[in-house]
Amino acid sequence: MSEALDSLQSQLQAQIDALRVEAVAAAEALERESDVPTARARFLGKKGAFAPLMQSLGRLTPAERPAAGALINVARDAIEAAFDAARERLVEKALQSALDRGRVDVTLPGRTVAMGATHPVQQVMDDLVDLLCAFGFELEDGPEVETETYNFDLLNMPASHPARDMQDTFYLQGGLLLRTQTSPVQIRTMQAQKPPVRMIAPGKVFRCDADTTHSPVFHQIEGLWIDKDVTMADLKGTLTHFLRMLYGPDRPVRFRPSFFPFTEPSVELDVWTGTRWMEVLGAGMVHPQVLRNVGYDPDEVQGFAFGLGVDRLAMIRYGITDIRYLWENDARFLRQFATR
Ligand code: DAH
């Protein structure tokens, strides 16, 4: 082996060593797995730092080439291993930091689940129904989609009656409508039962009307008591007692003459609030024509009916000034009336 070649070989050896040190340091300094391929290519790629060394092999004699080639290969293997190790380290590191980020601290307090509560209108509805059931009224139910016959005609409201105006009633196709009152349940119950009848019918009613005190959907409780010899005195006694139970025994109550097509005579009941009279329900002796419409004989049986607006009572009880608050379903509003 000549002196020149000898020095060429040791020069090559020095270059290889330097490259290996540099590459291993670079691999160890990597911080992200995604940077590994580029860094690796900088040394081992086709145009990487090793390429010129491979070319310099050509300047060695064929006899010397295998030894020099072997040196390069050992270095390349070492660098390859350094990058493999770097990849492994970085994959492990990414996994660990993902685990750290997702760590659950079991000592933290839990998130509370918000509990629902009975809606203020439903609370008033429940109270009224409880009270009336104690009087012996039985619960009845009727459809919210009604016919004109049940909602109006059989209740003695002729086609010319102003309440049948398009402005008040939501008419549907096929002669149907959304009931404007719970009174049709009176008719359905009397058609289905023989006297005596003592029923209440709570439920939704619908009118094409909306402002601070009117909602297009609201709630009524209908009442009906039919028997032999039921008189206006029974109406007055029953409803006075009902209001006393609702507002306390000392609360003044007054009956005011009124008009409803399905009762004769008709009254409205007011309760004294301390500053003014407040109307709470409509009532009356069931009109003989209504009794005849359901096949009852008005000479045999009589009775009284009443209807009250539940939403208004809820607004008064809770001091709510705008009916729309009731149906916006704002939890901050509703929470104030939660009883638990
Ligand atoms: N249906 C009436 C309304 O919606 C309320 C009513 C008044 C019902 C008098 C009755 C009654 O049963 O006797 O305005």
Side-chain angles (χ1 to χ4, degrees), residues 180-183 186 207 220 222-223 260 262-263 282-284 305-307:
T180 61
Q181 49 188 357
T182 43
S183 304
Q186 287 186 31
R207 285 187 206 175
Q220 290 185 334
E222 192 77 15
F260 300 104
F262 34 85
T263 48
F306 59 93

Side-chain angles (χ1 to χ4, degrees), residues 155 157 180-184 186 205 207 218 220-224 235 259-260 262-263 265-268 281-286 304-309:
L155 286 162
M157 295 174 93
T180 61
Q181 49 188 357
T182 43
S183 304
Q186 287 186 31
V205 299
R207 285 187 206 175
F218 56 106
Q220 290 185 334
I221 298 179
E222 192 77 15
L224 177 71
L235 179 158
F259 172 80
F260 300 104
F262 34 85
T263 48
S266 303
V267 290
E268 277 174 319
L281 58 84
M285 299 305 293
V286 178
F304 67 88
F306 59 93
L308 56 91

Side-chain angles (χ1 to χ4, degrees), residues 44-91:
L44 303 177
K46 265 198 191 119
K47 295 181 178 162
F50 265 92
L53 292 185
M54 297 301 274
Q55 279 157 22
S56 70
L57 285 180
R59 276 179 278 148
L60 299 177
T61 63
E64 288 162 337
R65 242 174 251 157
L71 278 179
I72 292 179
N73 281 340
V74 169
R76 287 178 60 110
D77 286 351
I79 293 170
E80 198 93 62
F83 281 112
D84 284 349
R87 180 182 295 114
E88 217 167 286
R89 170 176 61 82
L90 293 171
V91 165

